[in-house]
Amino acid sequence: YMGNAKSVFNLRKIKKGNRYVVFSSKEVPYNAHYFIYEVNVVDYLMINLQTATVEMKHQPVETIRKKAKIEVKGSLWNTAKANNIHPELALKLIEIYAWDIDFFGIQKGDVFHVIYDEQYVRNKSIGIKTVHAAKFQTIKDTRMAIRFFQNGKFDYYNEKGENLRRAFLKSPLHYSRVSSRFSYSRFHPVLKIRRPHLGVDYAAPYGTPVYTIGDGVIIKKGYERRGGGNYVKVRHNAQYTSVYMPMY
């Protein structure tokens, strides 16, 4: 079976925890006829144990157009879950607005309106496929995001036709909290004096991905012994360079 399956699915990639089923005859000696392995929620491998044929099958996927209103009451992820909205929608919104909104600064009462497609297999949600449009409302302003195909790809634009992508992201992390903001006079928690803090500190669980705020080239990495810890320095252009430290 290994040879026949090679062109369809590498059996060495069978994962612990994934479900499988063996179909056998109803009578003695209960010969096995089919081996079914669930690759993911959509794809499954079917091996005919009698003929040694191997096929990749697919569950039918239903796509449903939806509208949602998310009024922020905590983190966007938890707010979505509390409103029975797939939390992946929060991820999509963060990616769409990454250049336009600092998600560490959103306030209770801010509202997202979203039109999106959600996918289902056997009436069970498997995730968000596409966000078609979104509107972010605060007390001060409203920010639109409209999906549009241009220059050979889909991207998101505001109501003026301006691409939401900017030179730099508003923040380098998806999930965490700001533990210390940029300030020219921050009270140092250890030294007990006021001194400039020319950066933004984010507290996040170990293993949280860190993103550079924009395209660039890594020009230096290392370890700073005087409290800086592990760091990476990125040059974005002739004018701007960013540093990420400490990272554990």
Side-chain angles (χ1 to χ4, degrees):
Y1 304 113
M2 291 285 286
N4 291 345
K6 192 173 182 179
S7 61
V8 180
F9 179 77
N10 186 350
L11 295 179
R12 297 181 186 277
K13 293 185 177 181
I14 287 180
K15 297 179 181 179
K16 179 181 178 180
N18 283 23
R19 296 188 301 176
Y20 70 90
V21 177
V22 176
F23 290 92
S24 62
S25 57
K26 294 183 179 180
E27 301 176 354
V28 178
Y30 306 114
N31 293 322
H33 291 275
Y34 291 95
F35 172 82
I36 311 293
Y37 169 73
E38 186 179 87
V39 178
N40 52 51
V41 292
V42 175
D43 307 316
Y44 62 95
L45 186 72
M46 184 173 74
I47 301 177
N48 186 322
L49 301 176
Q50 303 298 309
T51 63
T53 56
V54 181
E55 297 178 87
M56 184 66 75
K57 299 287 187 177
H58 314 282
Q59 299 271 19
V61 178
E62 182 182 13
T63 301
I64 299 177
R65 181 69 50 84
K66 287 188 170 186
K67 295 181 181 179
K69 175 183 177 182
I70 307 174
E71 182 175 344
V72 177
K73 295 182 179 179
S75 74
L76 190 58
W77 177 278
N78 290 334
T79 300
K81 289 186 66 176
N83 287 276
N84 296 316
I85 297 170
H86 199 295
E88 188 185 354
L89 184 59
L91 288 178
K92 296 286 188 183
L93 290 172
I94 290 171
E95 291 173 356
I96 291 168
Y97 282 109
W99 289 266
D100 201 40
I101 297 174
D102 182 358
F103 278 84
F104 299 105
I106 61 175
Q107 303 291 323
K108 183 177 180 180
D110 292 347
V111 179
F112 285 93
H113 297 270
V114 195
I115 300 174
Y116 63 100
D117 290 340
E118 188 166 354
Q119 293 186 308
Y120 291 81
V121 169
R122 295 184 177 180
N123 298 318
K124 183 178 179 180
S125 175
I126 62 170
I128 307 300
K129 181 181 181 182
T130 305
V131 172
H132 296 282
K135 180 170 67 175
F136 176 60
Q137 289 182 305
T138 69
I139 296 176
K140 296 180 179 180
D141 64 1
T142 298
R143 302 188 185 187
M144 301 290 295
I146 303 163
R147 189 171 184 260
F148 186 73
F149 187 82
Q150 186 168 280
N151 299 324
K153 65 177 182 178
F154 279 103
D155 222 329
Y156 291 89
Y157 299 80
N158 62 21
E159 69 277 16
K160 297 178 182 178
E162 299 168 335
N163 197 312
L164 293 189
R165 292 180 180 269
R166 303 287 193 271
F168 299 124
L169 296 174
K170 288 290 186 178
S171 62
L173 298 174
H174 279 178
Y175 301 104
S176 64
R177 61 181 175 84
V178 175
S179 57
S180 185
R181 296 185 180 276
F182 184 99
S183 172
Y184 286 105
S185 181
R186 184 193 71 157
F187 184 75
H188 197 285
V190 177
L191 301 177
K192 307 300 182 184
I193 59 173
R194 290 195 173 276
R195 60 190 297 181
H197 182 253
L198 306 181
V200 179
D201 291 346
Y202 297 92
Y206 181 83
T208 300
V210 177
Y211 301 87
T212 62
I213 59 172
D215 292 344
V217 177
I218 296 175
I219 57 175
K220 195 173 183 180
K221 68 180 181 70
Y223 183 84
E224 208 279 318
R225 295 182 180 276
R226 294 177 295 176
N230 295 311
Y231 71 90
V232 173
K233 190 173 185 179
V234 178
R235 183 176 62 232
H236 302 287
N237 51 40
Q239 185 176 3
Y240 295 107
T241 299
S242 60
V243 180
Y244 308 85
M245 63 189 294
M247 296 185 294
Y248 301 101

